[in-house]
Amino acid sequence: MITKKSKYIIDTQELLNEDILKKIKAFCFQKTDSDIKSISNWILENWRIDLTLDQDIILGYLKDWSNIEGYAIGMCRPKNNFESSILIQIFNELKIPFTISAGRTNLTGSATPNGGFIISTEKLNRSKPTVKNNHVLCSPSSLLEDMRQEVLNETNSEMYYPVDPTSRKEATIGGTISCNASGFVPGKKGATRHWVRGLDIILPNGKFLSCKRGEYISKNNFFQIDGNKIKIPEYNRPKIKNASGPYTGCDGDIDFVDLIVGSEGMFGLITNCSLFIESRPRSFLDLFIILDSEKNAFSLFHFLNTQNKIETLNAFEYFGYNCQKYMNNKQYFFNKNSEVGVYLQIPIMEQSEDQKCSEWSSLLLNSNCNIHGDNIYVLNDKKSWDLFFNSRHSIPENALKESKKLGGVSIITDIIVPKENFAQLIEGTHRLIKNSKIEYLLFGHLGDCHLHFHMIPEKREEITAKKTYDQIVDLSSSLGGVYSAEHGTGRRKKNDFIKCYGYEAVRQLYNIKKSLDPNELLNSGNIIT
Ligand SMILES: Cc1cc2nc3c(=O)[nH]c(=O)nc-3n(C[C@H](O)[C@H](O)[C@H](O)COP(=O)(O)OP(=O)(O)OC[C@H]3O[C@@H](n4cnc5c(N)ncnc54)[C@H](O)[C@@H]3O)c2cc1C
């Protein structure tokens, strides 16, 4: 939203005084990263920043959920903006790469260190989330689910933060902003971007910037930061649920907040956040519906879409091919192995639960999708809901565990295409994976026409699996889609970015990265660098 007060000129703040800056420069002069022991001792002596070179401790930070191997010479856990700025300033002086690491639940290797230091956000500006009218102020290190619960507690369940990725109990707020993570809610409201009100950031040069949505808007696709013109990328990002590379000015000028959201930490360290919250529906009707085929599950989507019901839902999740095999407690939900399921969460504003339930029962029974009354489960007591949540969460978790057991790399597609090409994408992808004979399952966000094919190759099938994955990404591009709707690019999907957007887009991203991070130190190896 552009207001009269919106500016494209940004002045950052120096958090370190002249004496400290001089001291750092003098100490770092002619030092290299081979003097790392003396450098770390000096940091400890002068500022008592939590920092270690102990590889036994660092080991726990070398891998994220992508399972890609990383390496690092050191790890630090700054407690506040000042400590973060000191560290980043020193890394710049010594040209030491540094990687931001939070909950490490990303699936693309975006928090996997590529040498240098790890900056763990686990102690950063720790504080209890605080609700103020229509927003919540929080630390990037808070776990998303803790913040969501705190909002409910503080507002007597009248307000809530609706973004609910499956990993919400392990992912941090900083991580979900950086990845623009999304959850069950279909449409724009399901992704983090919609809810970000303001951010505090330490840029890769150690300077501090606080920005609110609407405060800084690019002008002719430029920002001016501390006198330097920064050109924002303009490559064309399809207007669908999209986490493939940073936001661009393809449709005109953009908010600085949007440049940071979804940029996977390549432009700075988020040190504090302000997120919008909204009124919580009085209650929800949670339904799990068993269907006899994928065809009928997709027909249900089309039926509800024609009834304009999709955008009213808080969740429309699909449990498709082979999900039962990887789902804990499947016996509570399914009768036959061939069945698939959908989960609907329906907000209740004014009606009673019974009224809502009978309204939806008759809608579903009249959908012509072969749904019978005894195939609809109401999950409205806490026990059923917890059982369902754990079962839902167990699917990717068990599939990832199976991959680890087989010693192979699990490959999860995150492809998405415009809704009109969805059926073609799903049919083509089933065909490609079936031809490769690789084990897989299918689940995801049917409300957004965004499903994940999770391939579980054995070690000997890895090359075939990678080839198949490439063919799937090509298929999604040919249907006007992108390779990532929610997981991002990281290190694993750099090639997909090039295939999707081309080398001109890489050049544009590289230019802005160079302008903000001339030494290419921050999160090096991510997306394009
Ligand atoms: C079982 C499972 C289920 C999942 N389900 C979903 C889902 O439903 N929806 C979804 O969107 N994703 C999902 N994910 C992916 C993952 O949880 C998200 O990408 C999440 O946003 C990552 O948060 P994190 O705290 O773990 O960040 P990390 O993995 O630690 O980091 C992710 C990226 O963010 C950067 N970063 C982290 N904190 C900051 C900061 N303070 N400042 C700047 N950069 C930062 C890191 O450098 C890295 O590039 C799932 C993952 C797993 C393992």
Side-chain angles (χ1 to χ4, degrees):
M1 182 191 54
I2 302 180
T3 68
K4 275 191 181 161
K5 286 191 182 153
S6 299
K7 301 174 279 187
Y8 78 101
I9 297 176
I10 304 173
D11 291 319
T12 63
Q13 216 179 308
E14 181 58 83
L15 296 178
L16 312 179
N17 66 31
E18 275 297 303
D19 289 346
I20 295 179
L21 286 170
K22 272 191 200 148
K23 188 170 165 175
I24 290 174
K25 271 196 190 312
F27 177 78
C28 293
F29 184 64
Q30 287 188 343
K31 287 228 166 25
T32 66
D33 59 6
S34 59
D35 302 313
I36 202 66
K37 192 129 187 85
S38 70
I39 295 164
S40 77
N41 284 340
W42 184 75
I43 295 173
L44 284 170
E45 275 160 25
N46 280 275
W47 292 288
R48 306 205 147 275
I49 298 175
D50 181 357
L51 181 150
T52 183
L53 304 180
D54 183 340
Q55 285 296 325
D56 286 342
I57 300 174
I58 294 169
L59 188 67
Y61 296 77
L62 292 184
K63 268 192 190 176
D64 51 35
W65 268 81
S66 70
N67 219 14
I68 296 172
E69 295 285 343
Y71 68 105
I73 49 173
M75 191 270 293
C76 46
R77 290 177 281 215
K79 285 195 293 300
N80 50 39
N81 293 0
F82 176 76
E83 290 189 357
S84 306
S85 186
I86 294 257
L87 289 165
I88 293 176
Q89 197 70 45
I90 293 171
F91 295 152
N92 266 285
E93 286 297 328
L94 298 166
K95 306 220 176 354
I96 296 177
F98 55 103
T99 301
I100 302 167
S101 170
R104 292 184 296 286
T105 63
N106 77 83
L107 300 162
T108 61
S110 58
T112 305
N114 193 19
F117 264 77
I118 297 159
I119 296 190
S120 164
T121 61
E122 67 199 88
K123 293 185 177 170
L124 186 57
N125 289 332
R126 286 222 78 118
S127 62
K128 209 170 132 190
T130 316
V131 172
K132 305 244 173 199
N133 305 320
N134 67 346
H135 60 275
V136 54
L137 304 174
C138 41
S139 151
S141 56
S142 296
L143 294 180
L144 179 62
E145 187 57 12
D146 290 352
M147 179 275 276
R148 284 165 40 91
Q149 285 305 321
E150 192 56 36
V151 170
L152 292 176
N153 293 346
E154 277 196 44
T155 65
N156 220 356
S157 294
E158 285 188 2
M159 307 284 280
Y160 78 139
Y161 180 73
V163 184
D164 55 355
T166 316
S167 53
R168 57 189 176 262
K169 290 187 179 169
E170 298 92 18
T172 66
I173 293 168
T176 56
I177 294 173
S178 303
C179 297
N180 189 25
S182 49
F184 286 5
V185 182
K188 273 191 176 174
K189 284 187 159 188
T192 305
R193 181 180 308 283
H194 180 82
W195 302 94
V196 181
R197 175 179 175 270
L199 297 171
D200 286 355
I201 306 155
I202 300 201
L203 295 176
N205 61 4
K207 298 224 178 135
F208 175 80
L209 165 63
S210 185
C211 53
K212 289 220 168 56
R213 191 168 277 287
E215 189 176 1
Y216 299 114
I217 306 286
S218 63
K219 187 172 171 192
N220 302 327
N221 278 344
F222 279 95
F223 285 107
Q224 186 174 309
I225 304 183
D226 295 335
N228 299 318
K229 279 189 125 191
I230 310 284
K231 173 107 176 87
I232 55 169
E234 291 175 336
Y235 58 88
N236 195 17
R237 286 176 101 240
K239 277 158 249 354
I240 44 184
K241 183 177 176 185
N242 194 343
S244 61
Y247 209 65
T248 70
C250 60
D251 290 325
D253 286 311
I254 68 163
D255 198 305
F256 193 79
V257 167
D258 281 323
L259 183 66
I260 300 300
V261 177
S263 64
E264 299 179 46
M266 71 186 285
F267 299 137
L269 170 69
I270 298 166
T271 61
N272 266 311
C273 336
S274 163
L275 300 166
F276 288 114
I277 51 178
E278 72 169 11
S279 296
R280 185 175 181 273
R282 201 169 48 74
S283 62
F284 297 96
L285 174 64
D286 293 291
L287 301 178
F288 188 78
I289 302 146
I290 296 173
L291 291 135
D292 56 11
S293 66
E294 183 159 298
K295 188 166 163 281
N296 271 333
F298 292 0
S299 298
L300 180 61
F301 170 81
H302 289 298
F303 171 75
L304 294 178
N305 201 25
T306 52
Q307 304 283 317
N308 295 324
K309 290 288 182 195
I310 302 290
E311 295 284 321
T312 69
L313 295 172
N314 259 38
F316 186 174
E317 293 287 297
Y318 179 55
F319 301 81
Y321 176 75
N322 234 353
C323 267
Q324 290 193 40
K325 192 168 160 187
Y326 293 91
M327 184 184 198
N328 294 349
N329 311 312
K330 70 162 191 162
Q331 69 279 11
Y332 290 100
F333 300 101
F334 294 102
N335 303 311
K336 290 189 208 145
N337 285 343
S338 57
E339 287 167 341
V340 299
V342 298
Y343 161 67
L344 301 181
Q345 187 176 61
I346 302 146
I348 304 178
M349 299 298 183
E350 272 134 30
Q351 288 159 294
S352 71
E353 239 167 60
D354 286 348
Q355 282 170 328
K356 203 68 174 175
C357 202
S358 65
E359 180 200 317
W360 271 82
S361 293
S362 62
L363 193 68
L364 293 167
L365 296 176
N366 288 319
S367 64
N368 272 334
C369 299
N370 206 14
I371 298 174
H372 309 287
D374 51 2
N375 288 352
I376 305 174
Y377 291 89
V378 180
L379 304 170
N380 267 36
D381 60 291
K382 185 168 170 2
K383 206 171 149 207
S384 312
W385 163 254
D386 285 347
L387 188 75
F388 168 72
F389 180 82
N390 290 332
S391 307
R392 163 69 176 88
H393 201 304
S394 69
I395 298 172
E397 215 169 60
N398 288 335
L400 287 164
K401 274 186 198 151
E402 180 66 12
S403 293
K404 277 190 187 170
K405 202 171 92 192
L406 292 172
V409 178
S410 70
I411 298 184
I412 306 171
T413 71
D414 194 21
I415 42 170
I416 187 164
V417 294
K419 284 193 169 73
E420 58 276 18
N421 295 338
F422 174 64
Q424 220 180 320
L425 177 76
I426 299 300
E427 203 186 303
T429 307
H430 271 306
R431 199 175 328 113
L432 285 168
I433 310 184
K434 287 225 156 100
N435 285 345
S436 76
K437 305 212 167 12
I438 288 165
E439 165 82 350
Y440 75 101
L441 59 151
L442 175 64
F443 62 94
H445 318 292
L446 189 50
D448 282 323
C449 288
H450 169 222
L451 302 183
H452 301 291
F453 287 85
H454 190 146
M455 286 189 264
I456 309 178
E458 289 180 24
K459 187 90 191 133
R460 63 181 171 82
E461 294 172 319
E462 235 171 67
I463 294 173
T464 315
K466 283 182 182 153
K467 259 193 208 153
T468 309
Y469 172 80
D470 283 343
Q471 289 169 330
I472 296 168
V473 169
D474 289 343
L475 177 65
S476 74
S477 294
S478 72
L479 294 170
V482 295
Y483 59 93
S484 174
E486 67 180 10
H487 294 160
T489 309
R491 296 172 66 176
R492 174 162 283 159
K493 299 193 176 177
K494 280 171 16 169
N495 200 36
D496 297 349
F497 181 87
I498 299 171
K499 284 209 290 181
C500 186
Y501 294 113
Y503 282 100
E504 172 53 22
V506 175
R507 192 191 61 76
Q508 292 177 10
L509 257 190
Y510 186 71
N511 279 350
I512 185 168
K513 175 71 175 162
K514 264 302 234 193
S515 313
L516 290 167
D517 183 8
N519 299 317
E520 295 170 48
L521 300 176
L522 172 57
N523 278 11
S524 109
N526 259 7
I527 310 184
I528 46 138
T529 50

